[in-house]
Amino acid sequence: MRKLWDGKVSRRKLLGGAAATSAALPVLHELIPHQGLHGGGAEAEAAVDHHSRAHNGSAHFGAVGQVDHKRNGFDPQQVLRDFDEGAVIGGVREWEIVAEDREIEVAPGVRYDAWTYNGRVPGPTLRAREGERLRIRFVNGSKHPHTMHFHGIHRDGMDGVPGIGPGNVEPGHSTVYEFDASPFGLHLYHCHSTPLAEHIAKGLYGAFVIDPKAGRPAADELVMVMNGFDTNFDRSNEVYAVNSVAFAYMDEPIRVKRRELVRIYLVNALEFDPVNSFHIHANFFDYYPTGTKLEPRDFTDTVIQGQGERGILELRFPYAGKYMFHAHVSEFAELGWMGFFEVVG
């Protein structure tokens, strides 16, 4: 399998075309602007023509080849609608989460040594109802100390930070986190071991949904965890994605039904960049920051989120067709954070 680029080259150099090599061209054609990659003149024109023909006239970037989701152990299409409600035992909702070191493919030919919860990035989307008692048994099967820190309201001993309560969980050890589900809304969990940026960047995070006691209106519910990957360890991301695989929803657009309510649980787990964003084409959405209020704050087509920020988006598509969504930072979009909704019916 070919590498996307030499690990010594930063994505910013690649985007400027200063460090591209001929060996990288077969894969980079679809990820880096052709003008910068090939220079000007006939070579640039030929590259654009190749790109256009390869994507049936599409003027947008994409990746060459396909990621092996089976080898990864998770599929971005399944992650979208996969809510893990655990099991209720003796009136307590319980899960077992295992930290594992695992190589994953984040773009065609680009393998990344990740740290995972239950073998996937993002970790499972945990779902509970407001007021329930929750119990999470955390097992550290990694070679490194880890924790689980849950956003929400709980006692300090359950906070999953070094030096308090069980603190760091050493390799081969386990602990139990137990607390009440509060407040309702969209939260996240992540490792809080130091160095913190490294533990998050390597993949130890996931979405955490607490439904209000009365629930929410029926909808087609989707989980989108915005993330990125520093493939050359320069504390700068080379690959950007939603649910970990660059361009996953360009290759396989997200199918939704015309006029049906779509609810998106959007989490920004991106490290090494201060903000991320979500923009929908040809439509607007109601936005509920953190999901802790039942009335939307905004009616818009673009939302900006800082690190660890999250919110719920609700929208309906009035027309059938294909509608793009992407980060409204062009660099992020060109390096993988871009996709389509396919509206049917």
Side-chain angles (χ1 to χ4, degrees):
M1 184 70 71
R2 295 172 296 186
K3 288 186 177 180
L4 185 64
W5 51 70
D6 190 320
K8 297 179 181 179
V9 179
S10 77
R11 108 301 189 141
R12 289 187 170 88
K13 287 183 179 179
L14 282 166
L15 282 166
T21 65
S22 59
L25 294 184
V27 179
L28 286 172
H29 270 165
E30 312 305 321
L31 280 170
I32 309 301
H34 290 97
Q35 186 75 18
L37 182 60
H38 295 280
E43 287 184 341
E45 292 177 6
V48 171
D49 178 65
H50 157 77
H51 178 278
S52 181
R53 285 184 283 105
H55 291 272
N56 297 318
S58 172
H60 298 286
F61 304 112
V64 173
Q66 296 290 327
V67 165
D68 186 345
H69 300 310
K70 185 175 181 180
R71 183 182 186 277
N72 267 358
F74 63 91
D75 185 329
Q77 288 288 341
Q78 295 174 347
V79 171
L80 273 175
R81 295 180 170 93
D82 182 17
F83 294 88
D84 187 343
E85 298 183 358
V88 178
I89 303 173
V92 179
R93 190 171 296 278
E94 299 186 4
W95 296 268
E96 181 171 275
I97 304 295
V98 180
E100 305 174 61
D101 302 338
R102 185 183 187 120
E103 183 186 74
I104 63 174
E105 191 176 7
V106 297
V110 183
R111 305 200 190 282
Y112 184 78
D113 290 327
W115 297 343
T116 73
Y117 288 127
N118 285 8
R120 50 173 268 188
V121 180
T125 298
L126 306 185
R127 188 167 200 169
R129 190 168 292 270
E130 180 186 15
E132 288 185 318
R133 189 68 172 176
L134 309 182
R135 182 180 297 141
I136 302 95
R137 181 172 182 262
F138 173 57
V139 179
N140 189 0
S142 168
K143 298 177 182 178
H144 312 275
H146 296 305
T147 75
M148 291 187 73
H149 163 67
F150 290 84
H151 286 224
I153 301 172
H154 44 251
R155 295 187 295 110
D156 61 350
M158 295 292 103
D159 203 35
V161 298
I164 300 178
N168 276 329
V169 179
E170 297 297 324
H173 291 251
S174 65
T175 193
V176 173
Y177 301 105
E178 187 166 336
F179 51 88
D180 294 331
S182 176
F184 74 79
L186 172 60
H187 310 302
L188 69 154
Y189 63 90
H190 58 84
C191 182
H192 218 292
S193 297
T194 56
L196 182 57
E198 180 181 9
H199 284 250
I200 294 176
K202 292 281 278 184
L204 288 172
Y205 47 78
F208 175 36
V209 177
I210 299 178
D211 292 317
K213 290 181 180 179
R216 298 182 188 274
D220 184 0
E221 297 189 312
L222 311 172
V223 177
M224 294 189 181
V225 178
M226 303 185 292
N227 54 359
F229 298 92
D230 173 17
T231 62
N232 63 0
F233 311 109
D234 64 350
R235 298 180 71 84
S236 180
N237 297 303
E238 284 70 52
V239 175
Y240 293 85
V242 166
N243 297 336
S244 299
V245 176
F247 300 112
Y249 305 117
M250 288 191 72
D251 294 337
E252 296 183 65
I254 301 169
R255 289 175 63 89
V256 297
K257 294 181 180 179
R258 181 185 175 205
R259 296 194 178 119
E260 183 175 62
L261 180 64
V262 176
R263 179 176 298 122
I264 300 171
Y265 295 95
L266 182 72
V267 177
N268 181 20
L270 183 66
E271 194 57 67
F272 304 133
D273 287 282
V275 297
N276 207 335
S277 57
F278 176 101
H279 169 58
I280 182 74
H281 281 215
N283 210 342
F284 271 54
F285 52 82
D286 285 319
Y287 184 63
Y288 304 77
T290 317
T292 49
K293 301 290 185 181
L294 297 178
E295 303 79 26
R297 184 192 71 187
D298 302 317
F299 184 57
T300 183
D301 63 357
T302 304
V303 64
I304 309 297
Q305 292 184 341
Q307 292 177 339
E309 196 169 355
R310 64 274 187 196
I312 297 174
L313 290 62
E314 291 186 347
L315 71 161
R316 300 175 192 267
F317 291 88
Y319 308 110
K322 287 181 68 174
Y323 299 94
M324 178 174 279
F325 64 96
H326 57 83
H328 220 296
V329 177
S330 297
E331 184 178 8
F332 294 7
E334 291 166 0
L335 291 173
W337 185 162
M338 182 187 299
F340 282 100
F341 287 103
E342 184 174 355
V343 182
V344 299

